[in-house]
Amino acid sequence: MTDAILILNGGSSSLKFAVFEERDGLPLLLRGHIASLGGHPQLHAEAAGDRPEILKGLGEKPIDIGEAFTSVVSLLGDRDLLRRIGRVGHRIVHGGRDFTQATLLDAPALDALARLEPMAPIHQRINLEIVALAADLLPQAMQVGCFDTAFHSTRPSRAKIYGIPRAMTEAGIVSYGFHGLSYSHIASRLRNRYGAGAGGRAIVAHLGSGASMCAMSAGASIATTMGFSTLDGLIMSTRCGALDPGIILHLLQDRKLSADELVTLLYDQSGLLGVSGISGDMRTLIGSDDPFATEAIDLFVYRIAREIGSLAAALGGLDTLVFTAGIGENAPAIREKIGVAAGWLGVGIDHHRNRNAKEIISLTNSRVEVLVIPTDEERAVASQLLSAPTPSWAGPQHSIAEETLTC
């Protein structure tokens, strides 16, 4: 009997997984992750009911995503779950302009998604490698992709295009936006809380090692801080965030950096790590008394505060502010600093509620309701699989020129 959905969510240093029953409410059977693939990897899993959690070291050496997947498969086999899986849902970071709903990952779809890899070099290859691994292991299961870019596809044209020649825009050099599965889950939670209005004019701050923000009106994306790539917007753990294009020209023309060196610099050596010179991990920076750590934190908060103002302008005001993801959910000091910086908009954070991890952390007289809502990308993927058909890819609806995919 195939009555379960397996969700796989791979990143550069982790693999998250979850198994849900394929019925209304999506009861959770098992959830977990393998963290720190680059050294001392650990598997952590929690099952439904009263079964004890699993915490297991996987050695001291780095492991690749294939080895991580093998460990997940072993756990699913031990729990007698493999035979129950009829569909596998995959979080795919980049869907371009043509993948805007849950889609069957057949050969043509996979070929099209592979051509998007240069636009999401950290994630896309890993996402598609996991699809291949799952298809080999579970040939009877339907492999379905859900896309981080899809949530932002309904934004108005003016929120997507850049001030470049129209031929380039039509070739696909536009703002796509990311973290859409996280935002989709938060929008669903806001609808549960407020009804169809979903908190009215809301800004959601997805603050983790990758960080972005999204302005929503009645739960629909209006504007977001990430654009053509996952480098844009906020300063992140090791990614630079928004950068003057003239800096790129300087690095290429005057510093003579190669394209590969530039990719490494902007994706892996910048952000909180680059500014602090210490770490890209916010927990480490908060615990440090080094002045450069303090400066990195201050820059992180400053850039978020600036974007809150920009997104509020796109919305025409602000009713609700939501914090989510690793930093957003677990760093009350950062939330408090952001609240102070956004005080001019009517944001008021209650110190004690914030420190005690309440869902509503705003003051009773705050004009803006401030919430902390855990993200759940795996449940967002499962919800898309349960609530909608999964069509085969129909081919490109837009022109995607080859030069777009190599820029």
Side-chain angles (χ1 to χ4, degrees):
M1 177 175 65
T2 54
D3 65 342
I5 301 172
L6 169 63
I7 308 301
L8 296 169
N9 179 356
S12 58
S13 62
S14 67
L15 174 61
K16 300 176 184 178
F17 59 93
V19 182
F20 299 92
E21 284 191 57
E22 192 168 354
R23 59 184 176 89
D24 288 347
L26 290 168
L28 180 67
L29 298 174
L30 181 71
R31 177 192 295 279
H33 65 274
I34 298 178
S36 304
L37 301 189
H40 301 279
Q42 282 198 326
L43 185 152
H44 178 256
E46 298 177 352
D50 297 326
R51 302 185 71 170
E53 67 177 0
I54 297 166
L55 186 60
K56 177 183 177 184
L58 301 177
E60 297 183 359
K61 296 181 179 179
I63 62 174
D64 61 25
I65 201 70
E67 292 168 307
F69 180 75
T70 298
S71 296
V72 172
V73 168
S74 177
L75 175 63
L76 297 179
D78 291 344
R79 295 302 176 98
D80 197 28
L81 289 172
L82 286 177
R83 63 179 181 83
R84 297 178 59 181
I85 294 168
R87 287 194 282 180
V88 183
H90 298 268
R91 176 201 174 208
I92 309 289
V93 164
H94 214 308
R97 291 189 292 179
D98 297 318
F99 291 89
T100 58
Q101 59 183 318
T103 302
L104 178 67
L105 295 174
D106 54 14
L110 290 170
D111 287 344
L113 291 168
R115 291 196 294 273
L116 297 172
E117 183 178 325
M119 303 203 309
I122 292 179
H123 302 94
Q124 196 83 348
R125 177 187 58 78
I126 293 171
N127 295 160
L128 298 182
E129 183 178 347
I130 293 170
V131 175
L133 291 166
D136 285 343
L137 174 73
L138 297 165
Q140 81 285 357
M142 180 186 296
Q143 308 292 323
V144 180
C146 297
F147 306 95
D148 258 347
T149 47
F151 183 75
H152 303 292
S153 64
T154 58
R155 287 175 298 155
S157 175
R158 64 179 178 272
K160 299 178 185 178
I161 65 173
Y162 295 109
I164 56 176
R166 182 160 295 277
M168 292 183 176
T169 300
E170 292 174 351
I173 302 180
V174 296
S175 167
Y176 292 98
F178 298 90
H179 292 135
L181 290 166
S182 175
Y183 293 130
S184 174
H185 175 73
I186 300 302
S188 175
R189 290 286 302 274
L190 290 175
R191 290 189 191 98
N192 290 341
R193 169 179 281 277
Y194 297 108
R201 299 166 299 182
I203 293 175
V204 181
H206 177 106
L207 307 179
S209 59
S212 71
M213 301 175 72
C214 179
M216 299 181 191
S217 178
S221 178
I222 299 298
T224 188
T225 58
M226 280 183 174
F228 177 74
S229 77
T230 58
L231 282 175
D232 199 11
L234 307 177
I235 179 174
M236 295 169 245
S237 176
T238 62
R239 282 175 260 170
C240 59
L243 203 63
D244 180 346
I247 295 175
I248 306 299
L249 297 177
H250 167 73
L251 294 173
L252 290 170
Q253 296 172 347
D254 301 324
R255 296 290 187 94
K256 307 300 182 186
L257 265 65
S258 69
D260 286 344
E261 289 172 328
L262 197 57
V263 167
T264 299
L265 171 68
L266 300 182
Y267 278 98
D268 301 327
Q269 298 174 345
S270 298
L272 296 173
L273 172 63
V275 174
S276 71
I278 298 169
S279 175
D281 190 318
M282 183 60 77
R283 293 167 296 187
T284 301
L285 298 180
I286 290 173
S288 173
D289 58 4
D290 189 298
F292 289 151
T294 301
E295 187 172 44
I297 293 170
D298 288 346
L299 178 59
F300 184 74
V301 171
Y302 168 73
R303 293 284 285 270
I304 291 169
R306 277 183 49 177
E307 290 294 347
I308 287 175
S310 172
L311 295 174
L315 288 168
L318 183 60
D319 302 311
T320 309
L321 175 62
V322 182
F323 291 99
T324 194
I327 298 171
E329 295 168 29
N330 300 301
I334 300 300
R335 294 195 298 261
E336 200 155 312
K337 287 176 180 289
I338 294 168
V340 170
W344 65 277
L345 271 169
V347 173
I349 291 181
D350 184 297
H351 175 80
H352 297 290
R353 296 186 68 83
N354 182 43
R355 294 285 168 172
N356 291 319
K358 302 295 184 180
E359 182 174 76
I360 299 176
I361 61 169
S362 44
L363 292 164
T364 54
N365 63 349
S366 174
R367 294 201 307 272
V368 174
E369 187 151 70
V370 186
L371 301 99
V372 179
I373 301 178
T375 193
D376 193 340
E377 293 169 325
E378 293 75 45
R379 183 169 289 276
V381 172
S383 296
Q384 290 190 22
L385 267 63
L386 189 67
S387 63
T390 51
S392 297
W393 187 55
Q397 307 303 306
H398 302 86
S399 170
I400 302 180
E402 198 65 32
E403 64 265 25
T404 299
L405 303 180
T406 56
C407 64

